[in-house]
């Protein structure tokens, strides 16, 4: 079954996840939310690089 629309490729899904991770990193950096166990910036960089490879 073919996918169509904005999320038609794995690259756009990885890029969307990277943007979400960076947004959470910004919210964590400003102190709005607190998460001590996950490095959101590193996770965003990982998914951004993954979307570059795909």
């Amino acid at each position: 079954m073919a996918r169509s629309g904005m999320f038609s490729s794995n690259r756009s899904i990885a890029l969307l996840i990277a943007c979400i991770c960076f947004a959470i990193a910004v919210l964590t950096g400003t102190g709005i939310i607190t998460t001590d166990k996950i490095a959101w910036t590193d996770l965003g960089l990982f998914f951004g690089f993954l979307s570059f490879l795909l």
Side-chain angles (χ1 to χ4, degrees), residues 26-43:
V26 168
L27 292 175
T28 303
T30 58
I32 295 175
I33 60 172
T34 57
T35 57
D36 294 332
K37 301 211 184 256
I38 299 175
W40 291 103
T41 306
D42 294 339
L43 196 61

Side-chain angles (χ1 to χ4, degrees), residues 3-42:
R3 292 186 288 181
S4 63
M6 191 168 125
F7 304 112
S8 59
S9 69
N10 291 336
R11 183 178 195 171
S12 37
I13 292 172
L15 202 57
L16 177 69
I17 293 172
C19 290
I20 290 171
C21 290
F22 281 127
I24 293 173
V26 168
L27 292 175
T28 303
T30 58
I32 295 175
I33 60 172
T34 57
T35 57
D36 294 332
K37 301 211 184 256
I38 299 175
W40 291 103
T41 306
D42 294 339

